Amino acid sequence: EAGVTQFPSHSVIEKGQTVTLRCDPISGHDNLYWYRRVMGKEIKFLLHFVKESKQDESGMPNNRFLAERTGGTYSTLKVQPAELEDSGVYFCASSQSSSSYNEQFFGPGTRLTVL
Amino acid sequence: AQSVSQHNHHVILSEAASLELGCNYSYGGTVNLFWYVQYPGQHLQLLLKYFSGDPLVKGIKGFEAEFIKSKFSFNLRKPSVQWSDTAEYFCAVRVSGGYQKVTFGTGTKLQVIP
């Protein structure tokens, strides 16, 4: 079974540009999560999809960030326009159901550098 | 809101030494607790988890953790570390029955010297 995949693995952009990150969850997983780790700090929750609906977006930092999951399969996270403080590693995770007993499986992350 | 505190940012041990990584959380209600590990160049993966029942939980690769409710702690232990345990370790908490978001600590980098 394939794990959670993320694309690209690395992205280097200039301040003001737009970047779109993609996450493909494990097949059959209805729940998809985005997290971010800024260098040296903790991994922070951004948002949670159940199928195509946003269940919890309390961690989204501001309106420069837009997450979508059309069709309830893969998800994209767009940052527009990017700022220096957006640099970090963006992780995606998926789980089979919303039950508290379900493990979240993480992808390898996308390392975003904003210059 | 819940938070997680990991006491050590960087730990260096020799092989065969015993390991204990501290983790405390703050939340007044019922929580699920996790330790995740990220080996160099690999994904975050679950090491062990506590939901209910026996507060001493055993995970993969000989790791265990003990939930002490009165101390809001969930320390990770291993009696004898190996060089292959070199990794970054994250303690995490999730509110039981609530939203699914996981709150992580800042991580502890463990370096095991052969």
Side-chain angles (χ1 to χ4, degrees), chain A residues 4 31 33 35 37 40-43 45 48 55-56 58 91 97-104 106-108, chain B residues 32 34 36 38 43-44 46 49 51-52 88 90 94-107:
Chain A
V4 177
N31 294 270
Y33 313 82
Y35 293 85
R37 188 184 194 194
K41 300 205 171 179
E42 69 271 31
I43 301 169
F45 169 83
H48 168 205
Q55 175 79 7
D56 179 2
S58 61
F91 293 101
S97 79
S98 296
S99 164
S100 292
Y101 296 95
N102 261 263
E103 177 183 346
Q104 293 181 21
F106 282 78
Chain B
N32 307 139
F34 308 87
Y36 283 87
Q38 188 171 27
H43 303 196
L44 262 174
L46 186 66
K49 61 190 176 189
F51 289 127
S52 62
E88 191 162 16
F90 297 89
R94 182 174 65 192
V95 173
S96 179
Y99 284 129
Q100 294 297 299
K101 67 179 182 184
V102 175
T103 300
F104 288 86
T106 51

Side-chain angles (χ1 to χ4, degrees), chain A residues 16-114:
Chain A
Q17 290 186 320
T18 297
V19 63
T20 300
L21 314 180
R22 173 172 170 144
C23 168
D24 286 79
I26 292 171
S27 178
H29 282 195
D30 288 340
N31 294 270
L32 187 150
Y33 313 82
W34 283 100
Y35 293 85
R36 174 175 75 171
R37 188 184 194 194
V38 172
M39 187 182 293
K41 300 205 171 179
E42 69 271 31
I43 301 169
K44 278 194 170 179
F45 169 83
L46 297 178
L47 88 159
H48 168 205
F49 283 101
V50 178
K51 298 185 180 177
E52 67 274 10
S53 299
K54 291 175 186 173
Q55 175 79 7
D56 179 2
E57 51 184 328
S58 61
M60 294 289 265
N62 52 61
N63 60 9
R64 295 185 295 103
F65 289 75
L66 175 64
E68 293 181 322
R69 194 183 182 197
T70 308
T73 53
Y74 71 90
S75 174
T76 57
L77 180 65
K78 181 191 285 188
V79 186
Q80 179 182 30
E83 298 289 344
L84 299 179
E85 64 264 24
D86 301 332
S87 295
V89 180
Y90 289 76
F91 293 101
C92 176
S94 71
S95 68
Q96 192 165 22
S97 79
S98 296
S99 164
S100 292
Y101 296 95
N102 261 263
E103 177 183 346
Q104 293 181 21
F105 294 87
F106 282 78
T110 293
R111 182 174 295 276
L112 173 65
T113 302
V114 182

Side-chain angles (χ1 to χ4, degrees), chain B residues 45-87:
Chain B
Q45 57 184 283
L46 186 66
L47 200 54
L48 49 78
K49 61 190 176 189
Y50 172 80
F51 289 127
S52 62
D54 188 345
L56 184 62
V57 292
K58 295 192 184 298
I60 59 172
K61 304 187 180 186
F63 285 90
E64 65 178 32
E66 185 176 12
F67 171 48
I68 302 179
K69 191 174 181 180
S70 60
K71 294 185 178 180
F72 297 88
S73 70
F74 191 55
N75 292 355
L76 181 70
R77 299 193 291 250
K78 185 171 184 178
S80 176
V81 295
Q82 300 173 313
W83 176 78
S84 58
D85 293 324
T86 295

